[in-house]
Every structure is written in C-alpha cells, then in structure tokens.
Amino acid sequence: MQTDSSFTFVLFGGTGDLSMRKILPALYEAHRAGGMLADSGKIVAVARHVADRADYLEWVNEHVKPHVSKNGVDETAWASFLDRIEFVKIDLGKAEDFALLRDALSGRPGIRVFYLATGPSLFVPICRALASVGLNENSRIVLEKPLGYDLKSSNAINDAVGEIFAEEQIYRIDHYLGKEPVQNLLALRFGNVLFEPLWRREWVESIQITIAEELGVEARGDFYDNTGALRDMVQNHLLQLLSIVAMEPPHSMDSDSVRDEKLRVLRALKPIDPRDIGKVAVRGQYHSGVIRGSAVPAYATEPGVKPDSTTETFVAVKVEIENWRWAGVPFFLRTGKRLADRVAEIVVNFRAVPHSALGASALRGGANRLVIRLQPNETIRLYCLAKQPGEGMNLASVHLDLAFDRFFREGQMEAYQRLLLDVINGRLALFVRRDEQEAAWRWVEPILDEWAASHKPPKPYAAGTWGPAAASAMLAQHDTCWLEEEN
C-alpha cells in the first residue's frame, strides 16, 4: 500500500475528539510504518480554539499520544510526524477566513484531501466556502456520519455538496468497512471455492450482526438524544455490514463493481409493513445498572439528555432480503449502549445436518457456524463438531482460527489508517456511494416514522445486560438465540 503521491491533508475540526482519537493516530501509524505516505505529504489542521502552530502541536502532544501505538510511541517517528503538521486558524462560520486556507495551500503539489471531522450542520457551509476560494478542484472531500437526520435531510446535504464536488470526489466514510476481518470476509468468500456453494439459503439458517458497546453516551448526550441508535448505527454501519455479507460476487474489486453489488442488496431489503414493526423491531433504553463492578446511571440522567427522553439506545431488528440467494433467511441486526460487553461480530449459522447417525448433538442448530469478530479482537473462527477423546461417539464443538499473526508478520492495519490511505490514493471501493445511502435511509424511515407516531416509550433494560428481553423473544420465534445466550 505504498504511495509516492504527494498530498495535502486538510483536517477540519482539528482539535476535536475524532481527530485526536482516530484520524491523527491513524496518520501517525502510516507515517511510522514508512513508505505509506509520500515524504512531501503535509497535514494542515484547521481550528479556532488554539492560537498558532506551536499551541496546536502542544495540543496534539497532549491529546493524540495516548491513542497511538499499543507498544508505545517511537519518539523519532513522532518528531518527524509533527514536522508534517501545519496549522491554520479559521472560524468556520466566517467564509472570508477561507482565503487564509487558500493562501496556505497555494502552490502545493499533489491532491488535496479535505476531511470534515465536524458536525453535519457544517458540511455544506464548509464546502461552499471552499468553492468560493477555488479549492474544490483537484481535491477530495471526506464526510463523516451522520449524513442527515432522515432521507430528506440527507438528500439536501448530498445535493448541496454534489453541486460543488463530483461524486467521485466525495468519500462518505464508514470505518467498519475498513476493518481487517471485513476485508478478510471478502477474501474468504470470493477467493475460495469452499464457501460459495454454502453461502445461500439452502445451507444458511440465519445470520446475526451485532455492534455492542459498554459505554453510554459519554459527552455526546445532546447529539445522541436527537439521533438514537437506529440513525446512529443501523442506517449506516449495520446495513453496510449486511450488504458486504450478502452481496453477490463483484465483477472486480474496483470501486463501482463492489458498490453496485452492495446497492443490489440494499434495494432487495424487504420493506417493513408499519403494522409489523412491533414484531420485527425492538427498541430499548438503558436504565441504571452495573458494568464490570461499577454502577452506571440511567440514560435519562446523562448530561445533555432530556429527563423524559424516548430516544432508543438499543435496537434489534429482523431483516429479510428478497432475492434468490437469501429468500427466507432472517438477518438479525443488533446494537446498543451500556450492554454487557464491547463486541462487534458477524455470526453465520449454518443449518444442522438433516439426519445424523452420531446422535442428537449433531443435529444442533449452531454446531456449524462462522464467527467474524470485528472488535475487540479481530478474528475469524469456523466452528464445527468433532469427536471427544475417549470411549463412545461423543461430539463437542471445536473451532478453526484464522490467526493473522501466525501467517503474516506485519501487524493488522487499523480501519481509519486503511481508509485514509484509500482517500489519499483515490480508492473509493470502501466508501459509501450516494445511492447506497439513499437506499438505506429509505428502508429505515418506516421504522422511524412508526416509532415517532406511536408515542410508545422504548423498552427498559438494565445497564450491563444484553438489552430488552423482547430482543431474545424475537429470535425465539425463529427457534434460535443470540450467540452469547447459547454459550
């Protein structure tokens, strides 16, 4: 993934939490690895909360260092990384300040990347201000989620940004698509003949996709209370992961071939009848509880949250895909805050054998299973049955590991690092195209509308549990359960 391409990476929201925790650490890791970033490449941070470059570098030293390199900071690499960083003080509310940015970027070789690590309300004003000073040419723009509040607002942002930047210049980022196991899922499916005959309704009983968090809303109460789990996680991360799991083999791995196949999945999602939403969608809100021995407060008492809030912090939904490969196979999506563990995983449950001479254990649903763990430990495991040592034919579940560190000396690349390198090098395959985003919003909106119209509060669940019991009951109707319940 080496590049000789010169670039200028302009980071709006340069003092923000996302920049400190993810973006600058990812750029540092690429710099430290050597050869991934052109020597001439520069990072220009844009903010108004610090006075000058010296103050900004002091801020970076304090807030970025704790988030880089699990094995510690290489001080030599860190010093040369800081040499890449420049700073321009801009008030994003003042379009005339962008002339300062234009002057700072004047005469620089290579592509310009504008990363908008800001609230979505600033996306359009920033893009218009960039265009007003001629900075929308020879450039790429990276948009963080959430992109809008619903289909209408999402379209409004996309329309406005699309008047300034061409679609091939727009990188809508979803960091889950950059995770190593997601890439390996593509390799597993499309690089090996073994799984393709099994990857269909005849052999797959159900699929679960979970993104669970132990954390609450932290300092994001104001934002989260106006967003909720369905908008924050399901509309983007979970539906994107579903489309990767369920897509047909693309013609090639170029950006449009991959995204065309993902779009076909999103357009094949079975529309949910509003009368059935109570049966196929569960929403919950965490109350006080205990996580890892520490008491945590209820969502309604978090800073920035309305005391009578009906915003959901948990969603479980059953999804069906209306095509020949997946007809009749339920996909169960789940996400929530203040759950029992921090985990993101894809679970493919294969059907039990139709008849077994080895006893009832060979007929258990879930004995044959593929688990793709995205976090905290990125692994792929294939579960199957094997005979236990000793007398008799007693079967037990065992697993085969795809252990990356045993086969590859180089460490796994973090999701943001991969995606930022893709932006710099002009690779769009792992970024969300506008028509994908519209299809996802179109499918989600009936659930949002029904929940808003019903005025029913979310189902309560104690912090430190796996969410409302109704989420388990929904799977029980299909004679299955969530992975942690079986274990």
Side-chain angles (χ1 to χ4, degrees), residues 1-10 23 26-28 30-31 35-38 40-43 84 110-115 138-142 169 171 416-428 431:
M1 200 178 253
Q2 294 184 344
T3 179
D4 296 322
S5 303
S6 186
F7 66 92
T8 303
F9 189 97
V10 182
I23 300 171
L27 290 170
Y28 163 74
H31 169 85
M36 290 186 174
L37 298 178
S40 58
K42 294 292 183 181
I43 300 165
R84 288 186 183 267
I111 194 73
R112 292 187 294 258
V113 174
F114 298 110
Y115 197 114
N138 190 35
S139 60
R140 297 167 187 147
I141 189 94
V142 185
Q169 293 177 278
Y171 290 69
Y416 268 96
Q417 183 180 341
R418 170 182 287 105
L419 294 174
L420 294 182
L421 290 172
D422 279 0
V423 176
I424 291 169
N425 290 297
R427 294 187 285 257
L428 276 159
F431 295 84

Side-chain angles (χ1 to χ4, degrees), residues 62 73 109 123 182 209 237 244 275 350 366 369 393 416-417:
E62 179 182 353
V73 174
F123 290 174
V182 175
I209 306 178
H237 296 326
I244 290 284
R275 294 169 295 183
F350 294 102
R369 165 183 291 140
M393 184 58 71
Y416 268 96
Q417 183 180 341

Side-chain angles (χ1 to χ4, degrees), residues 84 165 277 323 403 413:
R84 288 186 183 267
F165 295 93
I277 287 174
N323 62 22
M413 189 179 292

Side-chain angles (χ1 to χ4, degrees), residues 165-185:
F165 295 93
E167 179 64 26
E168 59 269 20
Q169 293 177 278
I170 303 172
Y171 290 69
R172 300 173 188 86
I173 194 167
D174 186 328
H175 68 275
Y176 276 88
L177 298 185
K179 289 183 176 289
E180 196 72 54
V182 175
Q183 305 304 297
N184 264 299
L185 175 58

Side-chain angles (χ1 to χ4, degrees), residues 434-466:
R434 176 175 179 170
D435 47 10
E436 292 180 72
Q437 195 174 67
E438 289 178 355
W441 272 120
R442 199 167 287 115
W443 185 82
V444 161
E445 275 209 322
I447 305 176
L448 290 169
D449 293 343
E450 178 61 23
W451 284 352
S454 70
H455 301 293
K456 292 180 180 179
K459 297 181 183 298
Y461 65 96
T465 67
W466 282 103

Side-chain angles (χ1 to χ4, degrees), residues 78-110:
W78 180 254
S80 58
F81 174 68
L82 294 184
D83 288 341
R84 288 186 183 267
I85 299 178
E86 300 175 7
F87 176 76
V88 179
K89 185 179 176 67
I90 288 180
D91 184 339
L92 298 181
K94 298 179 179 179
E96 59 271 21
D97 278 10
F98 280 74
L100 299 173
L101 181 61
R102 177 197 60 203
D103 294 343
L105 302 183
S106 178
R108 293 176 182 267

Side-chain angles (χ1 to χ4, degrees), residues 275-351:
R275 294 169 295 183
D276 294 332
I277 287 174
K279 301 175 185 177
V280 301
V282 176
R283 64 172 178 154
Q285 185 185 101
Y286 66 82
H287 288 196
S288 59
V290 177
I291 295 180
R292 301 193 185 279
S294 299
V296 296
Y299 172 75
T301 65
E302 298 273 21
V305 175
K306 297 184 291 292
D308 59 348
S309 173
T310 59
T311 298
E312 78 282 355
T313 61
F314 175 95
V315 173
V317 59
K318 174 193 167 189
V319 183
E320 295 182 71
I321 300 174
E322 295 185 311
N323 62 22
W324 275 46
R325 182 182 290 269
W326 296 114
V329 176
F331 287 70
F332 298 105
L333 312 185
R334 175 178 60 163
T335 187
K337 291 189 174 295
R338 292 294 191 204
L339 297 183
D341 199 3
R342 173 180 176 264
V343 62
E345 63 188 6
I346 300 164
V347 180
V348 181
N349 291 311
F350 294 102
R351 297 189 184 278

